[in-house]
Amino acid sequence: MIRYDFYNAMLNSEKPSDFLLYMKKYNLLKDFPELSSLIITPQEPDWHPEGSVWKHTLMVVDVAVEFRSLYPNEKELTEFMFGALCHDLGKPYTTAYINSKFKSKMHDTLGLPPARTLLVKLGLEFAIPQVEKYIMEHLKPMQLYKVKNDVSAQAIKKLAERINIQDLVNLSRCDHWGRTDEEARLRQYPAGDWLLEVACKNNI
């Protein structure tokens, strides 16, 4: 059975973070350790000056509201909004302090099990396949952009076989803008702009 409190908050609220903060305030996250564990998971200030994974996730789901109109199909909208909610669920299991910085290697891969568990609890099993794609690929635009001079059209095509490029960039924009750094404030995301341009040039 669908948990309509979560469902309505993600799909209809103008500020989904208010619902999540309400859940936290009244200790209603106790049955959702997939989310509550984000509260105590730190992030590297150089990349995430906003603070914990929890704070970042609150910002990301609020930014995702700006993209709702691009998903008039309710199933696709559900997948997108819960992709935003779940994209960093692997960080509590991977975050470590290495060489004076917090790092979360493989948080994409290790985010799949808690995302599945959460979505089953919420009665949203139908969204699992696409949410998993969002989780697995949400880092790709930035990873490819960092080595853009060495990225082949074939690499972009392979990415497009796994996930729709526009959907990926939409989700990754939310991730990038759900912070308090300068690019987020200015609503800039060079990696996403570049990936869309390359995909367009190569008719992908």
Side-chain angles (χ1 to χ4, degrees):
M1 182 179 295
I2 293 176
R3 279 284 303 253
Y4 281 101
D5 50 353
F6 275 87
Y7 189 75
N8 288 329
M10 291 299 113
L11 270 65
N12 299 312
S13 173
E14 289 305 307
K15 197 173 181 184
S17 63
D18 285 346
F19 168 75
L20 296 172
L21 288 169
Y22 171 87
M23 295 286 287
K24 176 178 179 288
K25 180 177 180 179
Y26 291 100
N27 196 32
L28 300 175
L29 290 176
K30 60 182 181 298
D31 295 326
F32 303 98
E34 304 86 1
L35 295 173
S36 62
S37 61
L38 304 181
I39 298 170
I40 59 171
T41 304
Q43 297 186 113
E44 177 53 43
D46 288 349
W47 307 319
H48 286 278
E50 69 280 359
S52 68
V53 183
W54 171 255
K55 291 180 180 178
H56 169 61
T57 300
L58 295 179
M59 296 178 72
V60 171
V61 295
D62 285 350
V63 173
V65 170
E66 301 175 23
F67 293 79
R68 278 187 186 149
S69 62
L70 301 178
Y71 296 92
N73 179 290
E74 188 171 344
K75 178 177 181 291
E76 294 178 355
L77 176 59
T78 302
E79 293 165 343
F80 179 75
M81 292 302 298
F82 281 89
L85 178 65
C86 295
H87 78 285
D88 275 347
L89 291 187
K91 284 189 173 180
Y93 308 95
T94 59
T95 298
Y97 197 59
I98 302 172
N99 296 327
S100 300
K101 289 188 180 296
F102 287 107
K103 298 182 180 181
S104 304
K105 294 181 179 180
M106 293 186 66
H107 75 270
D108 45 3
T109 302
L110 293 180
L112 299 182
R116 293 187 200 113
T117 301
L118 177 63
L119 292 171
V120 169
K121 288 179 182 178
L122 299 180
L124 301 174
E125 292 91 338
F126 69 86
I128 290 175
Q130 181 64 21
V131 170
E132 288 185 335
K133 291 180 182 180
Y134 280 128
I135 293 170
M136 282 300 299
E137 309 295 348
H138 77 277
L139 300 173
K140 290 298 190 300
M142 187 61 73
Q143 290 172 340
L144 292 172
Y145 185 66
K146 288 179 179 178
V147 293
K148 61 182 179 180
N149 294 330
D150 298 319
V151 175
S152 66
Q154 186 61 29
I156 306 299
K157 288 179 181 178
K158 287 184 178 180
L159 177 61
E161 290 172 359
R162 300 194 299 270
I163 189 170
N164 178 277
I165 296 294
Q166 184 64 68
D167 290 340
L168 171 60
V169 171
N170 291 345
L171 192 283
S172 296
R173 283 193 198 280
C174 297
D175 184 20
H176 199 67
W177 293 347
R179 312 175 192 222
T180 55
D181 61 12
E182 186 71 4
E183 285 192 344
R185 186 180 68 80
L186 296 174
R187 286 297 194 263
Q188 296 175 346
Y189 185 39
D193 297 338
W194 166 82
L195 181 55
L196 289 175
E197 181 180 356
V198 173
C200 182
K201 283 183 178 179
N202 289 279
N203 297 312
I204 298 172

